[in-house]
Amino acid sequence: MNNNLIIPNHIGIIMDGNGRWAQEKGLARTMGHKKAVETLKDLCIYMADVGVKYCSLYAFSTENFKRDIKEVNFLMDLFITIFEKEFAFLIDKGVKVIFSGRRKPLSDKVLKAMDKIVEDTKSNKKLVLNICLNYGSHAEIIDTTKKICDMYKNGKINLDDIDEEFISKNLYNDLPPLDFVIRTSGELRLSNFMMWQASYAEFYFPKTYFPDFNSIEFDKAILEFNNRNRRFGGIK
Ligand code: IPE
Ligand code: IPE
Ligand code: MG
């Protein structure tokens, strides 16, 4: 990658198109999810190396439970393998893993694997990998609202304490705003991904299916980000 390019501080990736990637090759949809794991591992190494500080990955939405139970179970088992084995290399790569999303109704086995990778990588400082699993923006806003109402009810805060910074700090994780959101596969929507955090993000919708989203595709995305003129409501 060209050294003069600005690397977005916080990148969101909606990893979409696994099923179509497989179907177009005459394979089962699940094969697309499997290939996506390889793509993701390479991408994590690449992002850590080029200096991305925060990356939020959309792995499973609150709505994805609507899928065929077999596909949901396959994904849950895949998550366990990823967090128990496939992601072990992140410990030495300086990547800190955190999760955003509702723990309920995830199984104990999935939760245990999640908790372990968080624990194993908690001291890492290079890249924060925020994995959005059983995540939905609406759920996050509901859960945050309840948390804040509780604080108010217990006399811990006053109404005037609630401002943008306070809301941000009380979301599932206290993260900087998203600068750049990439959604692979050509779909042009957020599908309930980090609506609060994406308020001033730049959006990029490559047609590439996620399993084919390699470092060359990532470089193209960064180049596109560098051609954007971010104004944040001001004049420039
Ligand atoms: C994204 O790929 C992975 C998840 C949502 C878990 P899809 O499974 O949505 O693939 P398409 O969009 O059907 O091709
Ligand atoms: C969004 O993709 C969720 C993830 C990538 C995890 P979907 O494939 O579930 O989104 P829709 O249904 O096409 O909006
Ligand atoms: Mg999809």
Side-chain angles (χ1 to χ4, degrees):
M1 182 182 303
N2 178 338
N3 284 335
N4 296 323
L5 291 175
I6 294 168
I7 304 288
N9 183 51
H10 186 181
I11 300 180
I13 307 180
I14 304 175
M15 305 181 289
D16 200 13
N18 299 353
R20 278 165 284 165
W21 179 90
Q23 278 164 335
E24 286 180 15
K25 292 181 159 48
L27 303 168
R29 289 176 55 82
T30 49
M31 290 300 111
H33 298 314
K34 268 199 156 170
K35 171 76 169 127
V37 179
E38 297 311 313
T39 303
L40 181 57
K41 283 161 71 179
D42 290 346
L43 209 52
C44 287
I45 297 173
Y46 194 66
M47 286 193 293
D49 287 346
V50 300
V52 177
K53 292 288 165 217
Y54 296 87
C55 176
S56 289
L57 293 170
Y58 208 4
F60 193 90
S61 72
T62 45
E63 290 72 38
N64 285 147
F65 275 111
K66 291 180 194 163
R67 293 188 182 197
D68 187 295
I69 183 78
K70 282 197 193 126
E71 182 166 345
V72 171
N73 287 342
F74 178 89
L75 285 167
M76 292 299 150
D77 287 343
L78 192 61
F79 292 142
I80 295 169
T81 321
I82 295 171
F83 307 141
E84 281 183 351
K85 297 191 187 81
E86 304 273 0
F87 271 12
F89 75 97
L90 295 179
I91 303 171
D92 295 328
K93 259 281 159 196
V95 178
K96 175 177 178 163
V97 176
I98 58 173
F99 287 94
S100 290
R102 281 189 178 155
R103 289 174 73 88
K104 228 173 147 179
L106 298 176
S107 73
D108 287 346
K109 252 193 121 178
V110 172
L111 292 170
K112 208 175 131 209
M114 288 164 65
D115 292 344
K116 184 165 185 324
I117 188 82
V118 168
E119 180 63 28
D120 288 349
T121 60
K122 70 176 181 200
S123 319
N124 282 346
K125 302 230 157 10
K126 213 166 168 190
L127 160 67
V128 173
L129 198 64
N130 171 41
I131 303 176
C132 299
L133 202 166
N134 192 22
Y135 174 88
S137 273
H138 286 189
E140 180 169 41
I141 290 168
I142 292 164
D143 294 348
T144 300
T145 305
K146 286 182 179 167
K147 186 169 139 192
I148 294 175
C149 284
D150 253 356
M151 290 183 211
Y152 180 66
K153 200 170 74 187
N154 296 329
K156 294 208 171 80
I157 55 161
N158 299 313
L159 280 185
D160 287 343
D161 292 330
I162 304 173
D163 56 12
E164 285 191 26
E165 201 190 326
F166 186 81
I167 302 260
S168 289
K169 282 199 181 328
N170 282 289
L171 294 170
Y172 288 138
N173 284 292
D174 180 10
L175 292 165
L178 279 164
D179 298 291
F180 194 38
V181 174
I182 302 168
R183 180 173 187 149
T184 57
S185 90
E187 304 295 351
L188 309 177
R189 54 180 173 266
L190 268 183
S191 301
N192 211 3
F193 179 66
M194 300 185 95
M195 285 158 48
W196 173 278
Q197 297 87 340
S199 61
Y200 264 102
E202 295 296 325
F203 290 87
Y204 177 61
F205 299 105
K207 291 225 162 39
T208 316
Y209 295 141
F210 185 73
D212 288 329
F213 196 77
N214 56 19
S215 58
I216 296 166
E217 292 292 323
F218 184 83
D219 279 356
K220 277 194 222 162
I222 298 301
L223 201 59
E224 172 66 26
F225 177 80
N226 277 262
N227 288 329
R228 303 285 175 92
N229 181 8
R230 302 182 80 192
R231 286 189 287 274
F232 299 100
I235 301 163
K236 216 162 136 196

